Amino acid sequence: MTPKSSKIVIIGGGPVGLMAAQILSETPAFDVHLYEQKPSVGRKFLLAGRGGLNLTHSEDSTRFAARFGKDEALFKTLMERFSPADLRDWAQQLGVDTFVGSSGRIFPTEMKATGLVRAWTKKLTEQGVTFHLQHRFLSFSEDRTVTFEGPDGHPVEVQADALLFGLGGASYPHLGSRGDWTDEFERHGLEMAPFRPTNCGFHVLWSRFILDRFEGMPLKNIRLEHEGNTSRGDMVVARYGLEGGALYALARPLAETLDREGQATLNIDLRPDMDLPEVEQRLSQPRGKASLSSFLKKTLKLTPLEIALLQEFSGPPQSGAAALAERIKKIPAEISGIRPIERAISSAGGIAMNEVDSGMMLKSRPGIFIGGEMMDWEAPTGGYLLQGCFSMAVAAADGIRHWLDQTPATNG
């Protein structure tokens, strides 16, 4: 049996840590240890799977990479190393079949994360990964010594040949992502960005009529626009305001406007598959004795919620075809605030992306690697966020392997 000569310590039991552990533990000479502060791994991953685990997306690579905004070029490169097709193959190897939904999103056939996480952790155990649960990260040093608070409350010190941090961001703190590691990384002189919520809902001051009649109801297949930024998809009326994938895609520009001006306008196009002249033409038909609501239902199939929104943000709808068509194509919803970060699906902020090299290693701390939401990048839900984390994990695992190939081991 080949002796294990290089000790790898992975901190964080989310997608980044688990994927890197799987790849690295395939090499017999690597002794892989994964530390997690909770009693089990993959907790946020499991939560994401409650409504149908959206692993990745089927759209073409150019459009996919563009979802990462300012980091488009980086993630294009990362996904060339581990693509959506590779992610589906990985799931298949764990015995989990996937399918492409009508929206282009890719899901496990059972629409849950439990089976995948069970098969995943079983594989890691079979490959010799050692799990250290209920170990809370405290500090690290340049020689790759890490200090944890152990299950009994006493400090635990571990020295490694290579370290990978996948600590998460600052959303869902009850699942372990509290962002409380930032002071330690700032102490090491790393450039940091403040955490901010992404993929989150926004506050709207609804009338009592909207709340009583339409709370929890969806707006389907709409187009949203804010200051030139657009998205399409669905949105839901919540008691506090609005939430949903179409809105999450505009979280950053909306948040920036709120920070700058204290309020923001979100323009809603209720019929994005029709241009303005077509909507106007349909509304130019004789109305007869029908009420305006009945007329809008008949000519454009507007739902009661969509009709209510016409009045909610702009007063009673005008009956003129041209003015009414413009309203339907551009309802100005007034956004008054953003949901707190602990209520967000994900967060941006953390360690600046320019602190790491192409293998996700800190340029100033050789042998120490970073990945996932603890870095300052963002992507919308719909599979983009998870794909980004998986692709970063693969790059980090490759970077660790390359580093250890060039560096003599200190742990035997």
Side-chain angles (χ1 to χ4, degrees), residues 206 209-220 234-244 305:
W206 293 122
F209 175 72
I210 291 288
L211 289 178
D212 289 346
R213 292 281 303 275
F214 301 109
E215 182 185 357
M217 294 188 65
L219 288 160
K220 290 188 168 291
D234 302 340
M235 194 165 58
V236 176
V237 172
R239 175 155 292 274
Y240 64 80
L242 290 166
E243 61 186 24
L305 171 57

Side-chain angles (χ1 to χ4, degrees), residues 133-153:
L133 303 176
Q134 294 180 287
H135 281 68
R136 186 171 70 88
F137 167 71
L138 297 176
S139 64
F140 72 99
S141 60
E142 291 187 35
D143 68 353
R144 299 178 297 282
T145 298
V146 189
T147 303
F148 300 92
E149 179 187 283
D152 59 2

Side-chain angles (χ1 to χ4, degrees), residues 234-355:
D234 302 340
M235 194 165 58
V236 176
V237 172
R239 175 155 292 274
Y240 64 80
L242 290 166
E243 61 186 24
L247 180 62
Y248 300 159
L250 299 182
R252 182 162 193 166
L254 281 169
E256 290 172 348
T257 299
L258 286 169
D259 285 344
R260 186 175 62 250
E261 301 176 14
Q263 61 181 13
T265 300
L266 178 70
N267 295 309
I268 307 172
D269 182 351
L270 297 177
R271 290 296 175 265
D273 293 324
M274 300 181 188
D275 60 18
L276 182 62
E278 181 181 355
V279 174
E280 183 177 347
Q281 186 274 328
R282 293 194 179 204
L283 293 173
S284 297
Q285 300 175 32
R287 189 169 117 189
K289 296 182 179 180
S291 67
L292 180 58
S293 292
S294 297
F295 181 65
L296 292 173
K297 291 176 186 177
K298 179 180 178 181
T299 56
L300 292 170
K301 294 184 170 55
L302 293 192
T303 67
L305 171 57
E306 290 172 333
I307 294 169
L309 289 182
L310 290 173
Q311 180 166 345
E312 182 76 6
F313 295 111
S314 305
Q318 301 176 28
S319 57
L324 188 52
E326 288 182 1
R327 291 270 296 280
I328 290 167
K329 294 290 289 180
K330 192 175 182 179
I331 297 177
E334 293 303 317
I335 305 297
S336 60
I338 188 170
R339 294 290 280 166
I341 196 166
E342 60 268 19
R343 297 293 184 181
I345 292 175
S346 60
S347 63
I351 300 170
M353 296 296 287
N354 60 16
E355 291 282 7

Side-chain angles (χ1 to χ4, degrees), residues 23 127 264:
I23 296 169
Q127 290 184 181

Side-chain angles (χ1 to χ4, degrees), residues 185-219:
F185 283 80
E186 286 178 338
R187 184 178 71 82
H188 284 268
L190 298 177
E191 180 184 347
M192 309 283 289
F195 282 118
R196 59 188 183 277
T198 60
N199 291 306
C200 58
F202 286 81
H203 292 284
V204 174
L205 300 176
W206 293 122
S207 67
R208 176 53 55 185
F209 175 72
I210 291 288
L211 289 178
D212 289 346
R213 292 281 303 275
F214 301 109
E215 182 185 357
M217 294 188 65
L219 288 160

